[in-house]
Amino acid sequence: MRTYLQLLGHRRFAALCFGQAVSLLGDALFPIVVVVSAAQAGTPAETIGAAFAARFLALGGVVLFSGAVLDRINPVVAAVCADGTRVAALVALAVFWDGNLDPLVLAVAVVIGLCEAVSEPALLVIAPRILPRGPESGSRPAESDGGTAPHADAVSDGGTASDADEERVTAAYGLFEGMRNLSGIFGSTLAAGLVAVFSPSAGAFAAAVAFGLSAAATRWAGGRFAAASRDDTVGEAPTPETGREADGEGGADAGQESLLRSALGGLAVLWRIRWLRRVQLLAVIHVLFAVGPWMVALPVLVIERQHTATVYALVLGSFAAGTVAGAFLGGRIRGRHRGLVSLALLALFGLTALSPVLTGSVPMLMAAFLIGGVGQQAFDVVKMAGLRREVPERLHGRAFSADFFFSFASLPLGQLLGAVLLRFVEAEAIMLWAGGLVIATTVLAMAGKDVREFRSGQPPAPDDGVPEQREPRTGTPAEQDENAGTR
């Protein structure tokens, strides 16, 4: 807890956390507005289905390309523009929408999805850059709240930062995700109450205000640091230390290549780092063949067991509460075997998937879902910190977008698979399959040494298009320059 309080002591990082907590209230308000308005208009199925589908298609369709854009421009500008665009769209929805399914609501849903595809990876890029490093890191100074402090990304292009800095970055991601999850838990309840007491239009205006506050907080929090960090990395001349720059994965030539090729570079960099490749394949297998079908089978099993909707809400709420605790726990996982620990926590979700079959006790179900939320979110935090460490800085936007794509894109297919399976097998069988698959594949992934450590054993070869990693810088600046010239 002391580490998290120290992080919140940095005003700009605290402002970014506040902005995103408020932004999640806007995220929660939009679906509530659509649901209530559709119910009042008498067309709930058509309006809700079309709006949610439009939002998902827009998000999944452009998230890879948004990462390519983030690596070309200041990510703070991108995040602020995304929030500002959502403000305009929601104000238009509040003023002109009559609650019926028409082009306006579909257009706003598409805009919300597009902006989410930009803001999600952008925030993961921004958050560590605005966090000053401690003096033990030995890196160059950068501007801080009231003077100078070492910059969070002084060792760029995949260079290895000090253990202390890495722990701070992991803790920052844990705090950031924990506050976002906490806001998400209360956001839906507050949104439903606001829309019920006033009107859907009031909810849309409130969502616009939330995104406006988020834009202002993000702009103030990241205005200095992100631009300075990017100026130090983008456009560097090729050197023996940074590797080649013109392979479709960053550098001065990035702005001259197509967005498609640049976006594919994000997928390529994750694929070439072995432990990241295995983790992404694990995510696709889980989401497509376990989590998606399980999400469809769960409410069916709840109904078959003659539980009420309240029980369903309680177990989902327990899982959400677990993600808050898991984010804070993940932020404190450190050491050589951080991958092994986080994978062991991820395997706990297998027990969550099995729990509706193994017990009918509501308290036991709530406990199992709480534990599953802890494990899933803790794993994600440690993985994000490892991705940031292993991938060159100029590729962070594309790498985080690709990671988001791998974890998200296959979910609708998994849910469709679950709907098909329910026509042939019982819900209990799907639950047993999902739980067993998660546990077995997660344990199998632990066999790789690099996966257990979430660290590459060797830097990529110079001819594979991924910049060569550097050893930590030591000594005085003069000694560093002398050593660089002799490599």
Side-chain angles (χ1 to χ4, degrees):
M1 184 58 66
R2 178 183 177 184
T3 299
Y4 293 128
L5 293 176
Q6 289 175 343
L7 291 175
L8 289 175
H10 299 294
R11 293 181 299 163
R12 294 183 182 274
F13 183 79
L16 186 68
C17 291
F18 165 78
Q20 296 321 301
V22 173
S23 176
L24 281 180
L25 296 180
D27 285 333
L29 275 162
F30 175 72
I32 296 297
V33 167
V34 172
V35 169
V36 174
S37 295
Q40 292 176 352
T43 58
E46 294 84 353
T47 301
I48 295 171
F52 287 7
R55 180 181 183 181
F56 163 76
L57 290 174
L59 172 60
V62 304
V63 66
L64 288 177
F65 298 96
S66 68
V69 173
L70 289 173
D71 284 331
R72 301 183 183 199
I73 66 174
N74 188 329
V76 174
V77 173
V80 171
C81 288
D83 282 338
T85 303
R86 284 185 281 195
V87 170
L90 287 164
V91 168
L93 184 68
V95 173
F96 299 109
W97 190 35
D98 59 4
N100 296 313
L101 177 61
D102 55 30
L104 176 61
V105 64
L106 294 181
V108 172
V110 168
V111 169
I112 295 293
L114 293 175
C115 293
E116 189 175 355
V118 173
S119 62
E120 287 293 325
L123 293 169
L124 296 177
V125 174
I126 295 168
R129 291 183 179 174
I130 65 175
L131 187 66
R133 278 170 69 173
E136 73 278 1
S137 62
S139 57
R140 60 174 171 77
E143 192 174 12
S144 181
D145 287 340
T148 59
H151 193 277
D153 273 329
V155 181
S156 61
D157 294 323
T160 305
S162 68
D163 290 341
D165 271 335
E166 186 172 330
E167 290 174 8
R168 285 162 58 83
V169 170
T170 305
Y173 275 138
L175 177 61
F176 193 66
E177 291 298 309
M179 294 187 67
R180 283 162 54 87
N181 291 340
L182 188 62
S183 178
I185 290 176
F186 296 105
S188 297
T189 303
L190 293 175
L194 178 64
V195 172
V197 172
F198 295 98
S199 67
S201 293
F205 272 120
V209 171
F211 286 121
L213 290 174
S214 173
T218 302
R219 177 64 184 87
W220 183 81
R224 301 180 188 176
F225 298 101
S229 175
R230 186 152 303 277
D231 289 343
D232 291 336
T233 56
V234 175
E236 285 183 343
T239 70
E241 297 177 356
T242 59
R244 297 182 303 173
E245 294 281 356
D247 284 313
E249 296 181 354
D253 291 345
Q256 301 175 0
E257 66 186 3
S258 67
L259 276 179
L260 176 60
R261 184 183 176 191
S262 185
L264 292 177
L267 296 174
V269 72
L270 294 187
W271 187 260
R272 288 168 178 164
I273 299 174
R274 187 171 60 178
W275 76 265
L276 278 173
R277 176 173 71 242
R278 293 181 176 180
V279 167
Q280 300 303 333
L281 289 175
L282 183 68
V284 172
I285 291 172
H286 283 186
V287 172
L288 182 58
F289 298 110
V291 178
W294 174 80
M295 291 176 66
V296 176
L298 177 62
V300 174
L301 186 61
V302 169
I303 294 172
E304 290 179 350
R305 295 284 177 85
Q306 297 183 346
H307 290 301
T308 64
T310 303
V311 173
Y312 184 62
L314 284 174
V315 296
L316 293 185
S318 299
F319 187 86
T323 62
V324 176
F328 293 127
L329 174 62
R332 304 304 297 147
I333 294 175
R334 65 187 77 176
R336 182 177 180 183
H337 298 297
R338 55 189 157 228
L340 181 63
V341 173
S342 59
L343 283 169
L345 290 170
L346 178 64
L348 294 176
F349 180 79
L351 300 178
T352 301
L354 293 172
S355 62
V357 179
L358 300 178
T359 180
S361 168
V362 174
M364 291 293 290
L365 286 174
M366 293 176 63
F369 275 71
L370 178 72
I371 292 171
V374 170
Q376 182 267 328
Q377 187 62 72
F379 170 83
D380 281 346
V381 168
V382 181
K383 180 191 68 174
M384 286 188 296
L387 184 154
R388 180 184 176 275
R389 180 189 64 248
E390 297 279 314
V391 174
E393 183 179 315
R394 63 179 177 277
L395 301 175
H396 280 173
R398 276 166 283 182
F400 280 118
S401 295
D403 176 70
F404 187 62
F405 177 81
F406 276 120
S407 301
F408 171 80
S410 55
L411 181 58
L413 294 177
Q415 292 172 325
L416 178 61
L417 177 61
V420 172
L421 289 175
L422 279 174
R423 300 179 63 89
F424 302 99
V425 299
E426 298 294 329
E428 290 91 340
I430 295 176
M431 293 284 184
L432 290 171
W433 162 259
L437 181 65
V438 168
I439 295 173
T441 53
T442 304
V443 171
L444 183 62
M446 298 177 185
K449 181 177 182 294
D450 54 344
V451 180
R452 293 195 300 268
E453 297 181 1
F454 275 9
R455 183 183 293 275
S456 299
Q458 296 293 335
D463 61 349
D464 69 354
V466 180
E468 184 178 347
Q469 296 182 355
R470 292 182 288 182
E471 297 298 322
R473 296 189 179 189
T474 58
T476 65
E479 292 171 341
Q480 293 172 9
D481 294 338
E482 181 179 353
N483 293 334
T486 59
R487 287 193 181 105

